[in-house]
Amino acid sequence: MTGLMAGVGRFCARHAWWVMAGWVLVAVIVGAAVNLVGAQTDNDLDLPGTGSQRATDVLAKRFPPQQNGTSPIVFYTPEGRLTSGDHKAAVKDAVVAMRHVDHVYSVLNPVSSKGQEAGLVSQDGATAYAPVLLDIDSGLVDEQLASEILDAARGAAEPAGIQVEAGGSIGSRLSTPATESSELVGLTAAMIILTVVLGSLVAMGLPIIVAIVALSCALSVIGLLGHLIGVPSIAPTVATMIGLGVGIDYALFLVTRHKDQLNAGSSIRDSIAHAVATSGSAIVFAGGTVIIALLCLGVASIPLVTSIGLASVVAVVIAVLGAVTLLPALLSVVGGGIYRLSLPHWLQRRPAQGRSAFWTRWAEGVTGHPWLAIVGALVLLVPPIIPVFSLELGQEDIAVTPTSTTERRAYDLVKDGLGVGYNGPLLIATTLKPPAHASAQFTRQYQEAKTLKRELKREQKSLLAQKKSLERQQRSLEAQADVLQAKGDDLQQQEADLLAQRAALEAEASALENQKAELLQEKRTLLAEKRELKREARQLAKEAVRVAAALVVVRVREAVLEERIDNATNPDRIRRLEERLDRVQAREADLQRRADQLKREGMRLVDKAERLENQRDTLKQRGAALKRQARALRASKRELTAQGEALQAQAADLQAQQSELEAQSQQLQREADQLKRQKQKAQQQKKHAERLQNKLTNELTAAGGDKRATDPRVVALQDQLLATPGVKALTPPQMSANGDALVINAVPHTAPASDATAALVEYLRADVLPQNTDEGLRSYVGGYTASYVDLASKISQRLLLVVGVVLALSFLLLLLAFRSLLVPVQAAIANLLSVAASFGVLTATFQWGWGLSLVGLDAPGGTVPIASYVPLMMFAILFGLSMDYEVFLVSHIIAARDHGIPARPAVSHGLADSARVISAAALIMICVFGSFILNGDPTVKQFGVGLSVAVFLAAALVLVLAPALLTLFGRATWQLPRWLDRLLPDLGIGE
């Protein structure tokens, strides 16, 4: 292999400008391609074989495109309610505006009646969220689409004083923290270290240039790769961390070897060829170990992890290619200028033949006291390893993301307004065999409600007709009463005329008496008495007629007034009529008393007339003439009497008509009372219908407006979920078109990332949902939270398998490279220890909360869940990177043995020769990884902490434990069984 790599080095050195032009061309092509089609990332969490994936499959098959998931657009007003006034109109306008954005499939208005029934508005009305459903996978949402949706909502709602934030995939896409500052810090630290190690700014610049060019190409390729496979949005960040680290480290190894050879007197091209043959071979094998470790992530069969691993592989492959092709070309172009812009003499380290006095003494101390070195390494590792036994795999926690992001603000608004569980509802997808149908009880109640509705409609129509008929009769009676009133007034006028005529007759009779006064002078006493008697009789008769007529009129008025009172509805009119009736009745009583008095006086006059009759005969002759005149007066009297009788007859007729009107009024009142009773009965039926309707409405509301969801199996499922401890609320179910599937969102009491929510998912799957399988229901718990629970579970199941595969392949690769059984064994032991210790530090920092403030996190509960895929990714990355240091250490040891140095002294020589480069490379990688702790994403911080600590521990073990073990192994390190020695090819890895 060294021959092949030497040829590559010579070619790149001879055709340096062509090689650099080729790299520039490739960088331009892939850069232009990614700018043309765009970098594509996909955060969809596919987990084949899990409950959450089965739930997603149910959605994809029966509820498209709901498998893409919804993103909440949160509205908040500090004053008033979102469900009224201008705020309600503004939210509606925002929903309409979002519906007009491309790829928006639907948006439910939270302040509509349907939205409020679905629980999208807080109790105080200040907070609401609109679920936005897209017609593309949520993982394919780019920043432009997310911005258009949020801007549409804000443009309509913010003028009304409403705060608008985005959650879900939309908010996540708009809340990705920038990594430029982290990369700049890491590069700056690497440049300082490289300058100190390499001694000049020109030499420092070469690894930086190679690493940046390689990383640029890698990120472009990863962006294009996203169009072929799902690449998570965190993958470019992880690839950047690894690409920068290995790119700078690999270049450092080769530049250091090249400078050492130049210092030893080699020519530039020979030095380049030899450096690529030796260090380049080690770089290829070191990169191979990293690539194999990352590819082994595919064994987990988790698309998310596999995609991140592939993206990282791209970065490592291009970094290796850059180190063995572009870097030799740059070294050839720079030539002797590599020493330009050197550091001051007092800052430069000039060890003889690349060996430092410090590292020489270190190597002698480790190899001279191997057991002490081993014990010291173990003592260093035990404390950080202890926390790893309490490591729990969790999920990304939005509650600890920066408050400057819309995703975090949306999370906090929902938590404060509706409850933390609404940030991560559990999706219950259920299939039904046979399909759901409306329950018999609901159908019976529904038919009863329809029948009542028809009867009420018919009854109301009949009552309305009866009411109109009674009103017509009432108007007719009032008209007849008015006619009777007019007739009564006419009778009163005729009575007045009759009294006037009587007064005229009396005047005439008085005149006649005056004419006879002289004739009757002689009979003065008798005639005076007789005249007095007649006068009294006439006055009595006159007054009797007047009183009788007055009584008739008064009684007619009384009847009319009573009828008006019975028919009147206006309280003021009734009061005035009753006052008039009281006055009329008082008048009637006075007239009756006067009539009785006149009767008594008439009896007295009769007695007096009998006494005077005895005297009449004597006055007969003298009264003959007067009789003739009296006849005339009597005739007039008879005429007046006849007229009075006629008036009485008319009054009687009026009384009869009044009685008839009273009878009709009573009949009308009876009909009105009957109508009132019918109305009361209809009102009772209406109330019953309303109660039945409300019951049906409540059942339909609980059924999501679909009567098929009243199926007893669906109702029982809802009751079971609501009775489950930890479930706060349920959204109304959604039924598929043919009723063979439904979806319910169960809102937990706890946060999405909490252990209690994960336990709820497991409890639902294990104890609650299986109860319905006998009834033809199969339920699956899905959604964002359940997916991460499944991810953690699947990673836990596959972790040991991945570890075993990585160990086996790494063992095989080191066996091929170094033709040794013990080198791979000690490398695996050292790497496992460093990985375990780094996991422990990760657990203590985030899960235990020790030093969270130091990494820039302020978690509400004092802890941050460790994203489940972080330890798995860390293992693959760290195992590959730590093997790099093993490769460079062992290659130097092999080079010492090739120069004739015995096994144990060769370990000391190899360690002294490689320690400076290994420590510098580790320090650079620690700075690069550690710089990503400045990133706002908690998951990126976890990678930064874990990887930087692990690199430190891996380098420490390579510089302490590995040489101590190899020293103890001695010559046995390089011994192989003969049959295995014959089988293994000699790849020629060494210095």
Side-chain angles (χ1 to χ4, degrees), residues 539-874:
Q539 290 178 351
L540 185 61
K542 178 178 68 175
E543 189 169 0
V545 171
R546 182 179 63 80
V547 169
L551 277 172
V552 171
V553 172
V554 166
R555 287 172 178 166
V556 170
R557 287 181 177 176
E558 182 179 0
V560 171
L561 288 173
E562 288 176 349
E563 180 182 3
R564 289 182 178 178
I565 291 172
D566 292 337
N567 296 325
T569 59
N570 188 321
D572 292 336
R573 177 174 173 81
I574 292 174
R575 179 178 54 77
R576 290 193 300 272
L577 290 174
E578 288 177 346
E579 291 176 353
R580 287 178 59 186
L581 179 62
D582 292 340
R583 290 195 297 270
V584 170
Q585 289 176 346
R587 174 65 177 163
E588 180 184 7
D590 293 338
L591 289 174
Q592 187 63 46
R593 285 194 297 273
R594 182 58 180 164
D596 294 340
Q597 183 180 1
L598 290 175
K599 184 176 180 181
R600 289 192 298 272
E601 291 180 356
M603 296 297 295
R604 181 178 61 78
L605 291 177
V606 169
D607 294 340
K608 187 175 181 180
E610 290 177 355
R611 180 174 58 81
L612 293 176
E613 188 64 28
N614 296 327
Q615 299 177 8
R616 182 176 63 85
D617 294 337
T618 59
L619 298 175
K620 187 174 181 181
Q621 292 180 353
R622 298 179 68 180
L626 295 177
K627 288 181 181 178
R628 288 191 294 273
Q629 296 180 1
R631 290 192 194 99
L633 290 175
R634 284 196 294 273
S636 298
K637 182 178 180 181
R638 284 194 298 274
E639 185 178 354
L640 290 175
T641 301
Q643 292 178 3
E645 290 174 352
L647 288 176
Q648 289 179 351
Q650 292 180 19
D653 183 56
L654 286 176
Q655 184 65 35
Q657 294 182 31
Q658 177 66 29
S659 299
E660 184 179 355
L661 282 179
E662 290 179 355
Q664 293 179 4
S665 177
Q666 292 174 356
Q667 178 62 28
L668 192 64
Q669 183 62 42
R670 287 193 293 271
E671 292 178 1
D673 292 341
Q674 183 179 2
L675 181 63
K676 184 177 181 180
R677 289 191 295 272
Q678 291 177 352
K679 284 184 177 179
Q680 291 175 347
K681 181 179 178 181
Q683 190 68 26
Q684 292 174 352
Q685 290 179 338
K686 183 178 180 181
K687 290 181 178 178
H688 175 64
E690 288 176 349
R691 289 193 297 269
L692 187 59
Q693 184 65 37
N694 289 335
K695 185 176 181 180
L696 289 173
T697 300
N698 292 335
E699 291 179 0
L700 272 179
T701 299
D706 192 331
K707 63 183 181 181
R708 295 174 299 174
T710 62
D711 188 302
R713 296 172 297 170
V714 178
V715 175
L717 174 63
Q718 290 176 289
D719 293 341
Q720 289 171 353
L721 290 173
L722 282 174
T724 302
V727 174
K728 179 179 181 180
L730 299 179
T731 60
Q734 293 178 273
M735 298 293 301
S736 62
N738 56 2
D740 63 345
L742 66 90
V743 174
I744 302 175
N745 284 324
V747 179
H749 284 283
T750 50
S754 72
D755 293 339
T757 304
L760 175 62
V761 172
E762 298 298 340
Y763 178 72
L764 287 172
R765 289 172 171 172
D767 298 327
V768 178
L769 298 179
Q771 299 177 16
N772 300 307
T773 54
D774 295 338
E775 299 177 1
L777 272 67
R778 288 192 176 275
S779 298
Y780 310 102
V781 182
Y784 175 87
T785 302
S787 295
Y788 273 95
V789 171
D790 289 338
L791 177 62
S793 175
K794 198 161 188 178
I795 288 175
S796 299
Q797 296 171 4
R798 300 296 181 92
L799 183 58
L800 292 179
L801 176 61
V802 173
V803 169
V805 172
V806 170
L807 287 174
L809 292 178
S810 298
F811 180 90
L812 178 61
L813 187 63
L814 291 179
L815 178 64
L816 291 173
F818 301 120
R819 303 179 62 81
S820 168
L821 289 174
L822 294 180
V823 167
V825 170
Q826 67 83 23
I829 294 173
N831 289 334
L832 286 175
L833 289 174
S834 63
V835 168
S838 64
F839 284 1
V841 173
L842 191 69
T843 302
T845 303
F846 293 93
Q847 188 174 307
W848 292 3
W850 291 4
L852 275 181
S853 58
L854 298 178
V855 297
L857 289 178
D858 183 17
T863 62
V864 176
I866 297 174
S868 56
Y869 59 88
V870 169
L872 183 61
M873 290 295 305
M874 278 180 55

Side-chain angles (χ1 to χ4, degrees), residues 321-384:
L321 290 176
V324 298
T325 59
L326 178 59
L327 182 57
L330 290 173
L331 290 173
S332 178
V333 171
V334 171
I338 196 172
Y339 295 105
R340 293 177 183 174
L341 303 178
S342 299
L343 293 177
H345 180 77
W346 59 274
L347 284 177
Q348 294 191 34
R349 303 178 62 188
R350 298 183 181 275
Q353 297 182 348
R355 184 178 299 173
S356 166
F358 170 79
W359 289 114
T360 300
R361 290 193 297 272
W362 177 274
E364 293 173 352
V366 170
T367 57
H369 306 85
W371 286 110
L372 182 61
I374 293 172
V375 172
L378 294 178
V379 170
L380 174 68
L381 290 174
V382 168

Side-chain angles (χ1 to χ4, degrees), residues 193-257:
I193 297 169
L194 286 172
T195 303
V196 173
V197 173
L198 299 177
S200 72
L201 295 179
V202 173
M204 173 274 296
L206 297 178
I208 297 297
I209 293 173
V210 171
I212 291 177
V213 171
L215 180 61
S216 302
C217 293
L219 292 178
S220 297
V221 172
I222 292 169
L224 296 174
L225 184 65
H227 293 275
L228 302 177
I229 63 173
V231 176
S233 59
I234 198 173
T237 303
V238 176
T240 299
M241 297 170 65
I242 298 173
L244 275 179
V246 299
I248 295 174
D249 277 7
Y250 292 166
L252 171 63
F253 293 147
L254 198 143
V255 171
T256 302
R257 180 60 180 168

